[in-house]
Amino acid sequence: MEKSIIILCGGGPAPGINTVISSVAKVFLKDGYRVIGLHGGYKSLFADKPLMVELNFEISDKIMNLGGSFLKMSRYKPKDSEFKTDFFKENNVKLLVTIGGDDTASTANRISKYLAEHNVKIQNIHVPKTIDNDLPLAEGTPTFGYQTAKHEGVKIAATIYEDARTSGNWFIVSAMGREAGHLAFGIGASTHYPMIIIPEMFNKTKIAFDKIINLIISSILKRKILGIDYGAAIISEGVFHFLTNDEIKATNINFTYDEHGHPELGNISKAHIFNMLVQQKLKELGLNIKSRPVEMGYELRCCKPVAFDLMYCTLLGIGVKKLFDQGITACMVTSDPKGDISPLFLKDVADEHGKVKPRLIDINSQKANLIFKNNLHYITKADYEAAKKYVVNPEEYDFNKILNWE
C-alpha cells in the first residue's frame, strides 16, 4: 500500500499556515508519498467519516502564499477513550504532521503513544504556530505568523494614531496575547505609541484594572503637559489572564457567562472595557477628553504572510521532511535565524505536569528598557507640579510608582 502522511491544523489561524501545508506536501509528494489533508483537526481524525482531502501539487502550489488555512481548523481536544487505529492502518500512515500550539503538540504525542501500544508505529512532528509569539523557541526565533500579524497590526495602529492626531482624540487599542505581550509591545513600539501596557510590566506588583487605567491617565496627563492633545495606548489582552472573575465582573460591563459562571470575554471587545473605565475615570477627574476603543484581533490572523513568514514557513515545512528522514519523532520543528533546522522536544520545555511555559518578554532586557524608558510618555516625580493643573494627586499617576519600579 502507498505510504502516506497526514497534515492537520489545531487552534486558531496564523499567517503562514498554508505555506507550511504547501511546503510539507510538496517535499513529501516529491518522494512518492500520498499526502492527506484533514479538515476539522483532531475532531475529524477519529470520526467515523474523516473529512479528508488529497493534497496534490496543484492544490499545494495554489495555496502557498494565501492567508487563512486551506485545512479547516478546530480546537477540539480528544480524550484517550476516543483514540483508535483504523485511520492510520487503512491509509498506511507513516507521519502525523500537526500545525498548532502546545496543546496540539501534546495531543499528537498522546496519539503516537497510544498507536505504539497497539502496534502501529508512526512518527509525529509538530510545526509551532501562534501570532502571540509565546512558544518557548530559542531567543530571537519567532513563532510563525507573528511577524505578519505584527506587520498588519502596525499598519492599523499607524492609521489609528493618525486619526488621533487629526481628530484630537485618544484611542484605547487592545491586541491579542494569551499571557505574553509580544504583539502589543511590537506594534506599540513600532508606531511610537505613548503608552504600551503588557502583563510583563507588572513584575513587581499585581495586575489590577485601576493600575492599568492610571497608566493610561498618566500618559494623557504627560501629553497635556507637553501640549499634545491626542494619543493612543495599546494594551495586551493577556492582562485579563491575571485578573479574577470577581475583578472582571466589578467593571459593571454587561457580560454573558458560560456554564461555569465565568465571563465570556470573547463576546465583548477588551478595548471597549478599557475605554469605558478610562472614560469613567476622566469624568471623575473632570477632564473633558474623548477616547475611542479599537480591538485588534481576528483581522490579524488570516492575512497573507509577509516575505519573512513565507520564507520561514517554507523552511519549517521542508524541515519536517528532514527530521522525518532522520527518524526523529515527538518533537517540534524549529528553524533558527541562520535557517538551520533542529528538533525541540516537548519534554525539554514542559513542566512536571506537561504544561509548556509561555515565552514572555524579558522586561529587564535592553530592548524593553530602551522602549519603556525613552519612547513612552508618562508622569514621573519631575512632572508633579505641572500635573497639579489637571489633578490634585499627580503621584497616583506616576508610572514608576504604579509599577513599583522605583
Side-chain angles (χ1 to χ4, degrees):
M1 190 191 304
E2 187 180 11
K3 296 180 293 186
S4 70
I5 71 164
I6 310 172
I7 305 175
L8 64 80
C9 304
I17 288 177
N18 284 327
T19 313
V20 173
I21 294 170
S22 171
S23 301
V24 171
K26 285 181 179 180
V27 74
F28 274 92
L29 287 167
K30 182 181 176 184
D31 218 12
Y33 283 81
R34 177 185 172 211
V35 180
I36 302 169
L38 209 59
H39 291 300
Y42 289 125
K43 191 169 187 177
S44 182
L45 182 59
F46 298 111
D48 292 335
K49 293 183 179 180
L51 301 173
M52 298 165 46
V53 57
E54 297 282 339
L55 291 170
N56 56 27
F57 182 88
E58 185 178 2
I59 292 172
S60 303
D61 201 45
K62 187 176 182 179
I63 67 172
M64 189 277 294
N65 61 355
L66 299 181
S69 176
F70 173 75
L71 297 176
K72 297 285 186 359
M73 308 183 71
S74 170
R75 294 187 183 277
Y76 188 76
K77 190 174 181 179
K79 299 172 184 169
D80 290 357
S81 59
E82 297 175 60
F83 295 169
K84 51 187 178 182
T85 61
D86 305 21
F87 185 92
F88 298 92
K89 287 182 176 179
E90 291 168 5
N91 294 284
N92 194 22
V93 176
K94 299 301 179 185
L95 171 67
L96 171 62
V97 180
T98 54
I99 303 171
D102 49 281
D103 271 352
T104 306
S106 59
T107 299
N109 282 352
R110 287 167 47 220
I111 292 169
S112 291
K113 184 179 178 182
Y114 167 85
L115 293 172
E117 290 169 353
H118 290 78
N119 300 315
V120 179
K121 186 179 179 183
I122 70 161
Q123 290 168 248
N124 72 283
I125 298 174
H126 181 72
V127 187
K129 163 240 24 133
T130 173
I131 65 171
D132 296 343
N133 199 34
D134 62 354
L135 293 178
L137 305 180
E139 189 64 33
T141 302
T143 55
F144 88 71
Y146 167 71
Q147 293 290 356
T148 299
K150 183 176 73 170
H151 177 84
E152 192 70 18
V154 164
K155 289 197 294 183
I156 296 169
T159 301
I160 291 166
Y161 193 70
E162 195 57 49
D163 192 302
R165 188 196 337 268
T166 301
S167 59
N169 288 333
W170 271 76
F171 283 89
I172 311 301
V173 181
S174 69
M176 282 186 165
R178 188 170 46 175
E179 294 177 50
H182 296 281
L183 201 53
F185 180 82
I187 293 169
S190 299
T191 51
H192 287 203
Y193 269 32
M195 181 51 62
I196 300 169
I197 300 174
I198 59 175
E200 293 91 335
M201 292 166 66
F202 298 85
N203 58 329
K204 294 184 178 179
T205 188
K206 185 176 179 291
I207 294 179
F209 275 120
D210 64 325
K211 294 173 186 174
I212 294 169
I213 302 311
N214 282 355
L215 286 170
I216 297 170
I217 300 294
S218 179
S219 191
I220 291 172
L221 292 174
K222 178 66 174 182
R223 301 271 278 194
K224 284 186 77 65
I225 291 169
L226 294 171
I228 306 167
D229 65 351
Y230 64 90
I234 188 165
I235 310 164
S236 171
E237 69 175 21
V239 296
F240 278 93
H241 184 86
F242 301 92
L243 295 165
T244 66
N245 287 338
D246 288 340
E247 287 175 297
I248 294 169
K249 290 175 184 177
T251 61
N252 293 319
I253 303 290
N254 289 324
F255 291 98
T256 56
Y257 294 87
D258 64 19
E259 63 273 17
H260 305 293
H262 302 312
E264 293 180 311
L265 294 172
N267 288 340
I268 192 168
S269 160
K270 276 42 125 232
H272 171 75
I273 296 171
F274 292 125
N275 188 63
M276 289 290 288
L277 296 175
V278 166
Q279 278 299 309
Q280 289 170 11
K281 185 72 174 184
L282 288 171
K283 283 177 170 53
E284 283 178 23
L285 296 172
L287 295 174
N288 183 24
I289 297 167
K290 291 181 180 179
S291 61
R292 299 287 182 265
V294 175
E295 180 95 349
M296 246 194 284
Y298 297 113
E299 59 269 54
L300 306 184
R301 305 195 306 173
C302 283
C303 42
K304 292 183 71 169
V306 296
F308 179 95
D309 277 322
L310 285 171
M311 179 63 176
Y312 184 31
C313 292
T314 297
L315 290 172
L316 291 173
I318 298 171
V320 168
K321 183 67 162 56
K322 176 180 172 64
L323 298 182
F324 174 77
D325 289 343
Q326 293 173 350
I328 296 172
T329 188
C331 70
M332 295 191 281
V333 58
T334 68
S335 174
D336 68 16
K338 293 185 296 180
D340 291 345
I341 299 297
S342 59
L344 178 63
F345 297 94
L346 282 182
K347 62 181 177 61
D348 294 330
V349 292
D351 62 20
E352 64 274 18
H353 306 294
K355 171 74 174 171
V356 175
K357 290 184 178 180
R359 175 175 63 182
L360 305 178
I361 289 176
D362 180 0
I363 205 67
N364 296 312
S365 67
Q366 185 177 139
K367 180 169 75 172
N369 272 285
L370 286 171
I371 296 299
F372 283 112
K373 289 184 178 177
N374 299 287
N375 233 38
L376 304 188
H377 283 153
Y378 48 73
I379 294 291
T380 63
K381 286 180 181 177
D383 301 302
Y384 285 5
E385 199 58 40
K388 285 180 181 177
K389 180 180 178 181
Y390 307 105
V391 292
V392 295
N393 49 348
E395 64 276 3
E396 284 189 24
Y397 307 98
D398 185 317
F399 181 86
N400 293 307
K401 282 193 176 218
I402 294 168
L403 296 173
N404 201 24
W405 280 8
E406 291 185 306

